[in-house]
Amino acid sequence: MAAAATVDGSALAGRALAAAGARHMFGVVGIPVTSLASRAAAAGVRFLAFRNEQSAGYAAAAYGFLTGTPGLLLTVSGPGCVHGLAGLSHATANAWPLLMVSGSCDQADAGRGDFQELDQIAATKPFAKLAVKATTIADIPRLVFQALNAAVSGRPGGCYLDIPSDVLHQSIPESEAVDLIAAAAAAAADSAASNPSPPKQNSSIEKAAELLRRAERPLVVIGKGAAYARAEEAIRKLVDTTGIPFLPTPMGKGVVPDSHPLSATAARSLAIGQCDVALVVGARLNWLLHFGEPPKWSKDVKFILVDVCEEEIELRKPHVGIVGDAKKVVELINREIKDDPFCLGRSHPWVEAITKKAKDNVLKMEAQLAKDVVPFNFLTPLRIIRDAILAEGSPAPIVVSEGANTMDVGRAVLVQNEPRTRLDAGTWGTMGVGLGYCIAAAVAEPERLVVAVEGDSGYGFSAMEVETLVRYQLPVVVIVFNNNGVYGGDRRSPDEITGPHKDDPAPTSFVPAAGYHKMMEAFGGKGYLVETPDELKSALSESFRARKPAVINCIIDPYAGAESGRMQHKN
């Protein structure tokens, strides 16, 4: 008589993840999770194997933003879990859904110095919305569904699931495995159905619409939360119907096209300094928006704050706070305005002031961009890259941007006309996200080309992942702005070049003219070294057309940038 089929913890976890809707997982395998990765892949969850858990974590975080479903990060125990904290914390800081799954030591040996032993629940709790541990195999399906649901509920963020080695090796009959997954799925569906609907906020919607209607200088501020919520149609309708200028945060770019005539991006200081009513959708009034306080903002500005998190509204104490999904709330505001429509019109003094200031600043920028400066400054190659990206049309490439000067200048030059096509250092200002983001973007949006514009310092955090790009043959072109170091090499004053180690390289210096393109070539990808406009144009044309892994090593004048980009006062 044949033995009844059994399912071990690794297979059960893989099947539970697939049943919960997971389609991709990023991570680094090893004891005790190698089998889990293979079993998940067999169940239909594509596993992308990385060279470092930090990059895998950043990939999982970006995947959560791009898809609206939790990115999955798989790590080994102990040090693997610690490396994974980078992605877990980054996701939570950015309000992106992520589930980190780690193996851990045998429960019976905890406290005895077992292999890679760590209290991983305690380690992850400060960075996670939920941190849970499967103590028996039967716990796995329920906790998988619970953690995935928690990652997207309310304000999205990172969650953690710990599966000890002994649990991964436990087995149950096939029939019990099927029942456990079905029960977990049913319980998750019941929980979702029983979640109370957000309170009716008709009065808040009415107040918001009336404030905008009566405002002399209204402004719509678009955060990456609006992009995450797929609020683009509703916000574009609001802007077009009312004629109110809009200002996107860096990853809110493209929700309304940068090319829209009401964009206040090029008149940012005027817009936030003089607006009297600001509708802030899916953005926090944090450092990126100067905390909503003077002197950057008027002391009399009235904020209408739309956020999924009630605690955020209570913290900021806006004039009007609306708790809810960005898309649904803006749709309600549109409906309210429709009953008593208004439109500022192009000749409205506020609109004229914004558009004139934006036009003047754009003309100044374009005059600088028009010059071919060699050795390259930041503007010349960014103009060439911008034009090449725009020439791709739609679907627009996803732009990944990190680095001090590279990211800051790139934000002003590169154009996003479609939502969720810009990924950068985010709320936490995290460097090292680049290659992980690239991989996530390539698998989440396979119809789009991915173009990374990286400073050489930011690139260095995750450069080894170019091998991952080649291994999976992903359509990613990485452009490294190589200026010999952090901010551009040796920036020390004479009084800093003293002491017994004065002959050491500066803390900001790298090997001059490093051959980053050779690293890509070593793995079988395409490498380019460019120092002139024609060389860069040729490399972009060829690599964009090929849609295969490539690194363009773009040599920049090491004295072209500024320390800390636009954050000098923090250093």
Side-chain angles (χ1 to χ4, degrees), residues 22 39 69 105 210 229 315 329 338 388 405 412 466 517:
R39 296 291 188 176
T69 60
C105 72
E210 189 62 19
L315 172 68
V329 169
K338 183 181 178 184
N405 294 281
V466 297
H517 59 298

Side-chain angles (χ1 to χ4, degrees), residues 140-485:
I140 292 174
R142 172 178 57 83
L143 294 181
V144 163
F145 277 85
Q146 180 187 352
L148 288 170
N149 181 62
V152 295
S153 299
R155 164 162 285 162
C159 291
Y160 175 71
L161 172 59
D162 189 283
I163 312 181
S165 178
D166 53 298
V167 174
L168 289 168
H169 289 95
Q170 290 173 8
S171 294
I172 55 174
E174 168 71 26
S175 58
E176 186 178 346
V178 170
D179 291 345
L180 284 169
I181 292 173
D190 289 344
S191 176
S194 64
N195 276 344
S197 299
K200 297 291 183 185
Q201 302 186 82
N202 291 345
S203 62
S204 295
I205 298 294
E206 290 169 7
K207 284 181 188 175
E210 189 62 19
L211 266 178
L212 292 170
R213 183 180 288 109
R214 292 175 177 270
E216 293 181 13
R217 298 177 302 280
L219 180 70
V220 178
V221 179
I222 305 168
K224 64 178 178 292
Y228 173 83
R230 268 64 178 169
E232 52 265 22
E233 286 187 20
I235 294 177
R236 288 176 194 178
K237 181 179 179 182
L238 175 67
V239 168
D240 288 337
T241 301
T242 64
I244 297 175
F246 67 93
L247 179 71
T249 64
M251 276 188 273
K253 280 163 65 71
V255 169
V256 181
D258 283 348
S259 57
H260 194 287
L262 288 170
S263 172
T265 297
R268 187 178 192 273
S269 295
L270 172 67
I272 67 175
Q274 294 190 18
C275 72
D276 59 352
V277 173
L279 171 62
V280 182
V281 184
R284 282 174 276 180
L285 293 174
N286 57 18
W287 69 276
L288 285 160
L289 289 172
H290 313 290
F291 308 105
E293 296 173 349
K296 296 291 187 180
W297 294 83
S298 164
K299 63 181 176 60
D300 299 319
V301 64
K302 293 181 173 67
F303 285 107
I304 305 165
L305 192 56
V306 178
D307 201 286
V308 291
C309 180
E310 188 171 0
E311 289 77 11
E312 181 71 16
I313 303 281
E314 292 170 355
L315 172 68
R316 308 296 178 182
K317 296 181 174 56
H319 195 78
V320 176
I322 307 174
V323 180
D325 172 81
K327 178 182 177 183
K328 293 176 182 175
V329 169
V330 177
E331 286 174 345
L332 289 173
I333 293 174
N334 281 334
R335 192 179 306 166
E336 183 69 25
I337 288 172
K338 183 181 178 184
D339 294 336
D340 187 6
F342 68 94
C343 184
L344 301 190
R346 297 297 159 85
S347 61
H348 187 282
W350 175 237
V351 175
E352 280 195 334
I354 292 287
T355 53
K356 182 181 185 304
K357 185 67 172 177
K359 184 178 180 181
D360 289 347
N361 286 341
V362 167
L363 287 173
K364 289 176 186 174
M365 173 71 82
E366 288 299 326
Q368 294 298 312
L369 288 169
K371 302 171 186 174
D372 278 345
V373 178
V374 180
F376 279 147
N377 60 9
F378 285 87
L379 293 176
T380 296
L382 280 167
R383 181 205 78 221
I384 295 168
I385 294 164
R386 177 197 66 185
D387 293 347
I389 289 172
L390 287 173
E392 289 292 297
S394 185
I398 291 176
V399 174
V400 172
S401 183
E402 67 174 330
N405 294 281
T406 307
M407 184 172 65
D408 282 341
V409 182
R411 182 169 62 245
V413 176
L414 301 176
V415 175
Q416 266 71 52
N417 285 327
E418 296 179 19
R420 296 170 296 281
T421 55
R422 178 182 169 86
L423 295 167
D424 65 22
T427 304
W428 241 16
T430 310
M431 289 297 130
V433 295
L435 272 292
Y437 277 6
C438 287
I439 294 164
V443 300
E445 301 270 2
E447 77 283 6
R448 296 184 191 267
L449 177 68
V450 180
V451 181
V453 186
E454 306 249 307
D456 52 357
S457 176
Y459 173 70
F461 282 81
S462 62
M464 193 64 185
E465 301 300 342
V466 297
E467 186 271 337
T468 310
L469 296 180
V470 174
R471 196 173 353 121
Y472 291 102
Q473 283 296 294
L474 299 175
V476 176
V477 177
V478 181
I479 306 157
V480 182
F481 276 37
N482 184 353
N483 62 356
N484 300 348

